[in-house]
């Protein structure tokens, strides 16, 4: 009968002492076997491809309290990150309120011809300017000066400067560009307008009407080249720009400028007498945040007084100067029937041009 240390079949043949010395170093004793951590895979796991017969279990397991502490710390970090992101978002939202879905209003226009009381004086353009109230005006765009810009409650100083600069650009393009003045171009003016007003602008240019909405001369200054031509020097300009915040999302710029042009009859030689033509433009331009970003404006209202003109002339398409040596046709205001409820045409307006607005005395020609 085999002893406790022998194999069940006894010792191998030809091995003295059963080979105990040779294999003793690789025999696992009973305490090692009991201490081994082996776990057999389940039947479902053994069906998987390349599944091993057994899997090892970690000899050291993390205490449950340490795992819970780690999870709690991660959750705290996540909560703090979400809170910080929310604070940043709300701060940015307060500094830059979301744009409102507001459509631009239609332009309201008033164009008033100013009729001369006598014969329009003529002469050399430079001499006429020197003898007129425009003698101290600046030439061209230099006459459209910007006031000091200050931030408002909801707009930065840079945004206020943008509104003023855009208003100046609109004035220069619509009042001083020679191509616009001669009725040959409108694109540069159109690019400065809010897209909601483009349909009204296009209709005003293509089919002008003196109805308070569609006078081309409410949007820009232009002359009929079949009647007059521009005579140098550059038009003289003086006026003011004022900016104000009228809402958390809106700035308004009020423009009041007097522009003086030298004109002579179309086709006349350069030696022909010129005369001065004065236009006063009072505009209100509105800007929302998108307008500021896109460098454009909403033209809210336009009031124009221009002369010398004839009260009988329609100023909606072009301005019609009374030229040197001529007088305005005597005519009273147009008839308006207050009982004609179907007639929505605005009554015609006409004023008298003050004699002080014309050059004083005869204007000698310079040679």
């Amino acid at each position: 009968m085999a002893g406790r240390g022998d194999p069940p079949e006894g010792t191998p043949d030809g091995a003295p002492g059963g080979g105990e010395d040779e294999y003793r170093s690789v025999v696992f004793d009973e305490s090692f076997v009991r201490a081994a951590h082996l776990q057999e895979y389940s039947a479902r796991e053994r069906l998987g491809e390349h599944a091993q017969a057994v899997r090892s279990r970690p000899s050291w397991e993390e205490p449950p309290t340490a795992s819970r502490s780690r999870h709690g710390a991660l959750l705290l970090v996540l909560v703090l990150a979400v809170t910080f992101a929310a604070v940043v978002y709300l701060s940015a939202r307060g500094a830059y309120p979301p744009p409102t879905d507001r459509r631009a209003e239609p332009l309201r226009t008033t164009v008033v011809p100013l009729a001369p009381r006598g014969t329009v004086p003529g002469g050399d353009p430079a001499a006429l300017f020197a003898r007129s109230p425009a003698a101290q005006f600046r030439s061209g765009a230099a006459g459209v000066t910007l006031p000091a810009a200050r931030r408002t409650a909801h707009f930065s100083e840079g945004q206020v400067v943008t509104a003023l600069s855009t208003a100046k650009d609109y004035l220069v393009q619509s009042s001083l560009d020679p191509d616009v003045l001669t009725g040959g171009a409108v694109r540069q003016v159109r690019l400065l307008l809010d897209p909601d007003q483009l349909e009204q602008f296009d209709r005003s240019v293509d089919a002008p009407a003196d109805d308070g909405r569609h006078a081309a001369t409410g949007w820009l200054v232009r002359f009929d080249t079949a009647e007059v031509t521009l005579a140098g020097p550059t038009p003289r300009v003086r006026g003011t720009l004022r900016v104000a915040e009228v809402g958390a999302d809106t700035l308004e710029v009020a423009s009041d400028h007097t522009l003086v042009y030298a004109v002579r009859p179309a086709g006349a030689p350069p030696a022909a007498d010129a005369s001065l033509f004065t236009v006063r433009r009072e505009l209100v331009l509105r800007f929302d945040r998108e307008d500021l970003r896109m460098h454009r404006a909403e033209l809210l209202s336009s009031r124009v007084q221009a002369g010398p003109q004839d009260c009988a002339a329609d100023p909606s398409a072009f301005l019609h100067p009374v030229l040197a040596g001529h007088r305005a046709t005597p005519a009273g205001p147009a008839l308006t029937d207050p009982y004609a409820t179907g007639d929505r045409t605005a009554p015609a307006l006409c004023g008298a041009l003050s004699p002080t607005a014309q050059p004083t005395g005869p204007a000698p020609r310079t040679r």
Side-chain angles (χ1 to χ4, degrees):
M1 186 171 182
R4 290 185 60 183
D6 299 330
E9 294 82 7
T11 60
D13 296 338
E20 292 182 3
D21 294 336
E22 183 178 357
Y23 295 101
R24 185 178 301 277
S25 62
V26 296
V27 174
F28 302 142
D29 59 16
E30 186 175 351
S31 62
F32 179 86
V33 173
R34 283 198 302 269
H37 293 278
L38 298 176
Q39 179 177 347
E40 187 178 2
Y41 276 90
S42 66
R44 176 173 298 176
E45 290 172 326
R46 288 199 300 273
L47 289 176
E49 186 178 0
H50 305 301
Q52 297 179 351
V54 294
R55 59 183 174 185
S56 299
R57 299 182 65 184
S59 59
W60 177 85
E61 292 184 358
E62 185 180 25
T65 55
S67 177
R68 286 195 296 271
S69 298
R70 180 181 296 176
H71 292 163
L74 290 175
L75 181 60
L76 178 60
V77 171
L78 180 61
V79 170
L80 291 175
V82 172
T83 303
F84 178 75
V87 170
V88 172
Y89 172 76
L90 292 176
S91 300
R93 184 184 179 94
Y96 302 98
T100 56
D101 187 15
R102 181 187 62 83
R103 290 187 60 84
E105 298 179 19
L107 169 65
R108 304 186 304 272
T109 64
T110 304
V111 182
V112 181
L114 300 178
R117 291 188 173 181
T119 302
V120 175
D124 178 79
L128 291 173
F129 276 123
R131 293 174 174 270
S132 76
Q136 304 303 317
F137 289 11
R138 294 184 178 182
S139 297
V144 185
T145 57
L146 300 183
R150 297 180 178 85
R151 65 172 294 116
T152 65
H154 299 93
F155 291 89
S156 68
E157 181 180 327
Q159 290 172 315
V160 173
V161 170
T162 297
L164 290 168
S165 299
T166 305
K168 176 175 179 174
D169 289 345
Y170 185 85
L171 279 165
V172 171
Q173 293 295 338
S174 63
S175 306
L176 298 172
D177 186 336
D179 292 334
V180 173
L181 293 175
T182 55
V186 297
R187 182 176 180 274
Q188 295 304 317
V189 177
R190 194 178 189 273
L191 289 175
L192 292 169
L193 291 172
D194 188 292
D196 292 340
Q197 293 189 311
L198 295 182
E199 182 179 355
Q200 183 188 9
F201 175 80
D202 292 341
R203 178 179 169 186
S204 300
V205 172
D206 297 336
D210 190 15
D211 59 0
R213 296 291 188 187
H214 300 98
T217 47
W219 298 93
L220 43 83
V221 176
R222 66 176 184 173
F223 303 100
D224 187 349
T225 54
E227 300 175 358
V228 299
T229 185
L230 294 174
T234 306
R236 303 292 180 88
V237 186
R238 186 173 69 181
T240 60
L241 288 170
R242 298 186 306 276
V243 63
E245 180 181 304
V246 295
D249 294 305
T250 309
L251 288 173
E252 279 189 2
V253 175
S255 162
D256 186 354
H257 286 79
T258 300
L259 307 104
V260 186
Y261 307 86
V263 295
R264 61 167 51 97
D273 279 351
S275 59
L276 298 187
F277 188 79
T278 304
V279 179
R280 181 174 179 181
R281 300 185 78 193
E282 298 173 80
L283 309 178
V284 176
L285 301 98
R286 179 177 290 175
F287 302 85
D288 59 24
R289 296 184 185 276
E290 184 68 9
D291 290 331
L292 293 174
R293 188 178 70 85
M294 299 300 294
H295 192 72
R296 68 194 187 199
E298 171 191 344
L299 190 55
L300 192 63
S301 66
S302 171
R303 177 176 173 82
V304 178
Q305 302 174 65
Q309 286 193 95
D310 199 312
C311 287
D314 180 3
S316 60
F318 298 98
L319 299 175
H320 304 279
V322 177
L323 299 171
H326 294 268
R327 303 173 65 95
T329 303
L335 297 177
T336 302
D337 184 359
Y339 294 96
T341 56
D343 183 9
R344 298 187 178 275
T345 302
L349 300 176
C350 189
L353 182 65
S354 170
T356 60
Q358 293 289 329
T360 56
R365 300 192 57 82
T366 58
R367 297 296 180 181

